[in-house]
Amino acid sequence: MNGKFQLTIFLILLITLQTRAQSVGLVLSGGGAKGMAHIGIIKVLEENNIPIDYIAGTSIGAIVGGLYAAGYTTDEMEELFKSDDFYFWSTGKIQEEYRYYFKQPESNPSWVELRITKRDDKVRLLPPTSLIPEEQMDFAFMELLAATNAACENNFDSLMVPFFCVAADVYNHQPVVLRNGDLGEAVRASMTVPLYFKPIEINNTLLFDGGIVNNFPHDLMTEIYKPDIIIGHKVASDPKAAAADDVMEQISNMVMRPTNFEIKPEEGILLETNFTNINLLDFNKIETVVEAGRNTAEQYIDSIKTRIARRVPSEVVQQKREKFNNKKPQLYFQNIQVEGISDPEQRRFIIQSIKHRYNVVSLSLLKKEYFKLVADQNVKSIRPITRYNKETGYFDLHLKVEPEKKFKVNIGGNISTKPINQGYASLDYRSFNGRAYNLSSNLYFGRFYSSFKLGGRIDFPWRFPVYIAGYSTLNRWDFFASSSELFFEDVRPPYIIRDEYNFRFEAGFPIGVHSKFYAGLAYSNATDEYYQTDIFKKEDEPDQTGFDAFVTHAGIESSSLNYKQYATEGEFSCLSAKYISGKETNIPGTTSSATVKTKKNHAYYLLKAHSTKYFRFGRAFSLGTHAEAVFSNKSLMQNYRSTLLTAPGFYPTPHSKSLFIENFHSNNYLAGGLSAIFNFNPSFHLRFEGYGFVPVKEELSTPDLTAYQNINAFENYYLQGMAALVYQTGVGPISLALNYYEKENTNFYLTLNFGYILFNKRGF
C-alpha cells in the first residue's frame, strides 16, 4: 500500500514537471494586411490560457509579434490598426496637425519627382525610392517602441516574451535574424516591402522585407529557442499568376517567395487562414481580418489543448505584462546628434530646430518639430533612433539625415477629355549651407494654358524663420468660344487670349504650424485680346486691353488640406490686401463700338477673405464649407468685357478654373457653398458641391457694350455646382465630374481628368 502510494506521487510529480517544462513558440507569417488575423489567433490562445513563451515573425508577423512581445495587449493592437494614426503611418501621409505650411512650395501640377545625380561621370535621373514616404513609419516605430528598448536594454530575449524577426539581405540573398538592437528598426526592416517602402540600413547592411527569403521562420524558431511545441499561423497566399495590370499582385509575388510552411506533426501544429478579397494594404478591413483569425483559432483550439497540457492563467500573463511595462521610462529627449550631414552649421540648425531653448524635449514637441524638418525641401529623409541614457534618465536622439540631391525634376500636368490638356515640367536647384537656397524654373505647355517661371527662394533658419522669394513669370490662357465639344477644329479663333508677364518679390514668416504672414511687391504687364460678343467671324480683329500695374500686397494664409485638389479634410483660409496702381490701354477691334485708342489710369485697393473647411463625421462622410468675399474701389474699364476680365472671379472647382464666365466676375462680391463627401475608402470618394455667387453691385453692359454698375445691391445671384467621383492615385487624382454653371449657352460639362488644373500665379 505504501509502495503504491509512493509510485502514484512519483507519477504525478513526473507529469507535473513535464507539463511545466512544456514550452511553446508562436510563429507568425508575412502576408500584408492579412496578417492582422494574427491578433485573432493570440486572442483565442490567451482566452484559453495557452502559453506563449517565444514569438517570432516576418513582415506583418514581425509587427504583431514585436508589439505583443513589447507588452501591448491584443485590444491595444487592434485599436492601433483601426486608428487614424495607423492610416497615416501606412500611407506616409502627414496628419493635419503636423502639416507645416510655411515650407510648402507654390502649388503646381506635379505627379512625380525625379532627382538628378552624377555617378561614374554620368548624369542620371533617379526615380522615387519608394511609393510610400518613410518618415511617418520611422517615427511611429520609434514612438511605439523606444521605451521598450530601454526596458529590455536592446536585448529581445529580455522582452515580455522573447522575440526575433527576419529581414532580407537582398545583396547576399540571405535572411538576417534580428534579436537585439533597436526593436523599432528591426520590425521596420522586416516589413519593408520593396517599392512600397524604402529599405533601412542596420549594421551596414541594407535590409528589405523578410518574406523575400523566409516568410515563415519556424525553422529558425526551432534552431534558436528550441520550444517543445510550435504553433504556426499562415496567412500568406500561395503565389499565383498575376495579370499584366495587377501591380500589387506582381509585387506580392516578388516579395512572398515560395516558403516551406510545413510543420512536422511531432514539432507542432499549423493554423492557416485563407482570404480571397484582402489585398496587401487593405488595413481598413481589420475587423473582418481579425475575426477570420479568431475563427481559425477556435477551429483548432481543441487540437491545441490536446497537444499543450500546460496552462497559464490570464492574470499571470497580465501581471507579467504590467511588470515589464513598468520598466518603460517616459519619452523625454535631451542629447541630440545628427548623422549624415557634414556641415556643422546644418547640423546645428537641425538640432536647434528640435530643441529651441529647451534642455529637455517632450515627445509632442519633438513630433511637431520633426515634421517641420520633414517638410524642408533640402532634407530627403530623417530617421529617428533613440538610446536610453541611464545617467541622465532621458533618451538620446540620433537623427539619421539624408540631404536632398541638389537638382530635381518634376513631371506632371493634366490629361482631359476637354481641350484643357497640359504638360508640366520643372527643374530645381537646392543648396543648404547656413541658409537654404532654392532656385526653380517650370514650364507649362498646352493648347489652353502655357507658362514659364524662373525664380528662387531663400530661407533664413533663424530662431524666428524668415524667407524671401522672387519670381518672374510669363502666362498665357486661350479661352475658346465653344468649350462644350469634345474635340475642336480651328474653325474659329479663341475668343479670349490672356497674356501676362509679372515679376513678384515676397517675404514672409510662419505663424504656428499651418499659417504664414507674407508681404511683397509685384509688377504686371497684362494684355487681353477678346471679342466683344460671342458671335464673331474668323476675319474679325479682337479688341486689345493692356494693363501695366504695380502691386503692393500683404496677407495671412493658412492651410492644412490633405490634397492640393479635391481635398477631403483640413482647411484653407486667407486674408489679403492689395493696392494696385496702373495704366489701362484699350485698342478697339472690329466687334467694338469704339474706334479710338484710349488710355486711363487706375489706382485702387482690393481686399479678399476666403475660408474652406472640411468637417469629418466618422470615416464615411465629410462636410465642407466654402466662403469668399471681395471688396474693391476699382473703377470700370473702357468696355464691359475688359471690366469683367480684370475683375476678380469666383472659380471654386477645378474645371471652373478653365473657363471664363462673365456671371462669376465682379469687383465686389460675396460667394459661398457646401460640399458633401462620401468616402468609400481613404483614396476613393464621391463629392457633391454647390455654390452661390452674389455681386454686391453688378457690372452690367449697355447696348454699345460699355459697362455700368447696377445701382441696386445684391439684385442677382448665380449658381454653379459639381458632382464628381474622385480617386487619389498617389501621383494625381482621377476624376469623372459633371459640372453645372448658370450662364448662357452650355450649362453642363462632363469631364474625365487625370492630374491637376493648376497655374502659375499672376502678378495681381
Side-chain angles (χ1 to χ4, degrees):
M1 188 73 174
N2 192 31
K4 289 182 179 180
F5 178 75
Q6 290 177 344
L7 179 60
T8 301
I9 296 297
F10 174 76
L11 290 174
I12 291 173
L13 288 173
L14 181 62
I15 292 171
T16 302
L17 288 172
Q18 287 178 339
T19 302
R20 286 181 178 174
Q22 191 179 37
S23 59
V24 180
L26 179 64
V27 180
L28 308 175
S29 80
K34 302 172 187 177
M36 294 184 295
H38 297 322
I39 298 173
I41 297 291
I42 298 173
K43 277 179 179 284
V44 174
L45 294 179
E46 285 194 336
E47 289 168 1
N48 288 273
N49 299 328
I50 304 299
I52 301 174
D53 299 298
Y54 311 103
I55 193 165
T58 296
S59 195
I60 184 66
I63 298 176
V64 174
L67 290 173
Y68 184 78
Y72 288 84
T73 67
T74 52
D75 288 342
E76 288 171 338
M77 284 190 279
E78 193 169 354
E79 287 304 311
L80 181 66
F81 281 110
K82 287 180 180 178
S83 68
D84 290 337
D85 283 342
F86 181 79
Y87 163 74
F88 288 112
W89 302 339
S90 60
T91 60
K93 295 179 172 60
I94 307 297
Q95 296 98 319
E96 181 180 347
E97 60 265 35
Y98 300 116
R99 294 171 192 156
Y100 190 43
Y101 185 57
F102 179 69
K103 287 286 187 178
Q104 289 186 17
E106 294 183 349
S107 292
N108 62 70
S110 172
W111 298 340
V112 64
E113 179 178 296
L114 305 174
R115 296 167 175 85
I116 300 177
T117 189
K118 188 175 182 180
R119 293 179 183 173
D120 303 325
D121 295 326
K122 294 181 180 179
V123 176
R124 301 184 181 184
L125 281 176
L126 302 179
T129 54
S130 60
L131 295 177
I132 298 175
E134 68 274 11
E135 291 84 9
Q136 275 277 21
M137 190 70 77
D138 289 342
F139 194 92
F141 280 127
M142 185 279 291
E143 181 179 352
L144 289 169
L145 299 172
T148 300
N149 293 326
C152 73
E153 297 184 351
N154 298 102
N155 180 358
F156 300 173
D157 286 347
S158 298
L159 291 165
M160 186 193 92
V161 177
F163 165 81
F164 73 84
C165 62
V166 178
D169 176 355
V170 177
Y171 180 77
N172 294 304
H173 197 74
Q174 63 184 17
V176 175
V177 178
L178 299 168
R179 298 182 59 190
N180 51 56
D182 188 296
L183 179 61
E185 281 203 308
V187 172
R188 162 76 167 80
S190 183
M191 52 69 61
T192 300
V193 180
L195 301 183
Y196 277 99
F197 300 106
K198 181 183 175 182
I200 69 172
E201 189 176 289
I202 298 178
N203 298 328
N204 298 318
T205 302
L206 205 60
L207 300 180
F208 279 98
D209 192 294
I212 296 174
V213 288
N214 190 337
N215 203 27
F216 189 62
H218 65 292
D219 54 338
L220 295 171
M221 171 65 80
T222 300
E223 178 184 329
I224 293 171
Y225 290 129
K226 300 177 176 60
D228 295 307
I229 189 168
I230 291 175
I231 300 174
H233 185 219
K234 173 192 174 186
V235 295
S237 303
D238 295 324
K240 60 182 179 180
D245 58 351
D246 193 342
V247 177
M248 297 187 72
E249 188 64 38
Q250 293 169 22
I251 294 175
S252 180
N253 286 347
M254 285 190 293
V255 174
M256 307 305 173
R257 297 290 180 86
T259 297
N260 177 19
F261 288 98
E262 182 180 349
I263 298 178
K264 296 178 181 178
E266 64 272 17
E267 293 180 353
I269 184 169
L270 175 66
L271 317 183
E272 185 171 358
T273 305
N274 294 310
F275 297 94
T276 58
N277 60 344
I278 304 297
N279 292 318
L280 195 66
L281 298 179
D282 282 345
F283 290 102
N284 59 310
K285 300 179 180 179
I286 178 170
E287 292 181 353
T288 300
V289 175
V290 171
E291 187 62 25
R294 171 181 278 279
N295 292 337
T296 297
E298 289 175 345
Q299 292 173 13
Y300 285 89
I301 194 63
D302 290 339
S303 299
I304 293 172
K305 287 180 176 179
T306 301
R307 296 291 304 275
I308 302 172
R310 176 170 159 244
R311 300 289 181 268
V312 177
S314 58
E315 296 82 4
V316 174
V317 175
Q318 186 58 29
Q319 289 172 5
K320 184 179 179 182
R321 180 177 288 115
E322 289 176 358
K323 182 179 179 181
F324 181 78
N325 285 336
N326 287 336
K327 296 180 184 178
K328 296 179 180 179
Q330 289 187 310
L331 291 178
Y332 286 94
F333 306 87
Q334 188 177 61
N335 299 320
I336 299 178
Q337 297 181 11
V338 176
E339 302 175 21
I341 298 288
S342 58
D343 188 282
E345 291 188 18
Q346 295 178 15
R347 290 200 304 269
R348 186 161 47 249
F349 164 65
I350 292 173
I351 294 171
Q352 189 61 37
S353 297
I354 296 289
K355 296 193 71 172
H356 296 287
R357 62 182 182 277
Y358 302 107
N359 180 44
V360 176
V361 177
S362 65
L363 177 65
S364 59
L365 179 60
L366 172 63
K367 195 169 186 177
K368 177 180 171 183
E369 300 303 330
Y370 171 84
F371 283 109
K372 285 184 180 180
L373 288 173
V374 168
D376 195 311
Q377 295 185 65
N378 292 281
V379 176
K380 182 180 179 183
S381 66
I382 306 176
R383 184 150 59 97
I385 301 171
T386 61
R387 299 286 184 269
Y388 183 64
N389 191 324
K390 291 183 179 180
E391 295 181 1
T392 64
Y394 300 114
F395 285 86
D396 295 337
L397 180 65
H398 298 257
L399 296 175
K400 292 191 174 182
V401 179
E402 183 179 356
E404 191 55 273
K405 304 296 183 186
K406 290 186 178 295
F407 288 95
K408 73 168 183 178
V409 173
N410 281 290
I411 304 296
N414 183 62
I415 300 172
S416 177
T417 55
K418 296 297 179 184
I420 53 175
N421 298 286
Q422 66 184 32
Y424 171 83
S426 70
L427 174 64
D428 286 14
Y429 171 80
R430 292 169 288 203
S431 178
F432 183 38
N433 186 9
R435 58 184 65 92
Y437 300 89
N438 187 2
L439 303 178
S440 62
S441 63
N442 69 39
L443 177 67
Y444 291 75
F445 47 94
R447 184 178 182 184
F448 164 65
Y449 175 70
S450 54
S451 179
F452 176 73
K453 184 176 83 170
L454 180 66
R457 167 170 163 160
I458 304 174
D459 281 86
F460 297 88
W462 300 329
R463 178 171 295 182
F464 192 73
V466 172
Y467 79 88
I468 58 173
Y471 299 101
S472 179
T473 308
L474 286 168
N475 288 310
R476 182 183 179 90
W477 287 268
D478 288 9
F479 294 94
F480 292 87
S482 176
S483 56
S484 62
E485 302 165 19
L486 188 60
F487 299 103
F488 296 87
E489 297 179 0
D490 292 327
V491 177
R492 290 184 298 179
Y495 83 119
I496 297 174
I497 296 178
R498 313 196 69 177
D499 289 308
E500 190 226 17
Y501 166 75
N502 70 72
F503 175 78
R504 298 179 287 117
F505 174 80
E506 185 175 285
F509 56 82
I511 304 174
V513 175
H514 300 318
S515 304
K516 70 174 183 179
F517 172 84
Y518 64 91
L521 302 171
Y523 167 74
S524 174
N525 175 258
T527 301
D528 294 333
E529 294 186 4
Y530 54 92
Y531 295 92
Q532 294 275 14
T533 67
D534 293 342
I535 301 174
F536 53 89
K537 300 176 182 179
K538 190 173 183 179
E539 58 270 17
D540 279 331
E541 291 293 327
D543 283 48
Q544 289 188 14
T545 294
F547 189 52
D548 291 346
F550 290 92
V551 183
T552 304
H553 67 276
I556 296 175
E557 213 167 67
S558 177
S559 180
S560 60
L561 299 178
N562 58 339
Y563 295 110
K564 55 188 173 183
Q565 194 166 287
Y566 297 117
T568 58
E569 69 172 35
E571 60 181 295
F572 173 81
S573 62
C574 68
L575 180 64
S576 64
K578 296 181 180 180
Y579 179 75
I580 302 168
S581 177
K583 177 181 288 188
E584 171 196 6
T585 302
N586 180 259
I587 302 175
T590 56
T591 60
S592 174
S593 60
T595 58
V596 180
K597 176 180 178 181
T598 58
K599 295 184 178 182
K600 182 180 178 181
N601 292 324
H602 294 267
Y604 60 96
Y605 66 83
L606 190 150
L607 304 176
K608 181 177 181 179
H610 174 99
S611 174
T612 295
K613 190 169 185 177
Y614 294 95
F615 302 88
R616 293 186 63 183
F617 297 89
R619 292 183 177 229
F621 181 72
S622 300
L623 179 69
T625 60
H626 187 115
E628 188 168 295
V630 170
F631 296 97
S632 170
N633 65 341
K634 179 177 178 291
S635 60
L636 301 177
M637 305 291 276
Q638 291 296 313
N639 59 60
Y640 172 67
R641 180 146 285 171
S642 63
T643 295
L644 294 186
L645 278 168
T646 56
F650 178 65
Y651 295 109
T653 62
H655 178 260
S656 67
K657 293 177 172 61
S658 68
L659 303 176
F660 174 78
I661 307 174
E662 293 177 350
N663 289 349
F664 296 96
H665 281 261
S666 180
N667 290 323
N668 296 273
Y669 67 79
L670 299 174
L674 294 174
S675 304
I677 301 170
F678 299 89
N679 300 295
F680 304 123
N681 62 47
S683 300
F684 184 41
H685 71 265
L686 171 66
R687 63 195 299 138
F688 297 94
E689 301 184 14
Y691 301 95
F693 176 85
V694 183
V696 176
K697 289 189 176 181
E698 189 173 10
E699 292 80 5
L700 300 174
S701 175
T702 65
D704 65 353
L705 303 179
T706 59
Y708 73 96
Q709 198 169 61
N710 190 351
I711 60 173
N712 298 318
F714 307 110
E715 185 173 33
N716 293 320
Y717 65 88
Y718 303 96
L719 303 177
Q720 62 173 286
M722 178 189 72
L725 276 171
V726 180
Y727 181 73
Q728 298 285 358
T729 66
V731 295
I734 298 175
S735 62
L736 177 64
L738 180 64
N739 302 270
Y740 168 79
Y741 307 98
E742 186 176 351
K743 66 182 184 68
E744 293 183 1
N745 302 322
T746 307
N747 299 112
F748 289 95
Y749 297 78
L750 182 64
T751 64
L752 177 63
N753 280 283
F754 170 68
Y756 301 96
I757 303 176
L758 296 170
F759 314 120
N760 281 329
K761 287 186 176 182
R762 299 191 70 195
F764 65 95

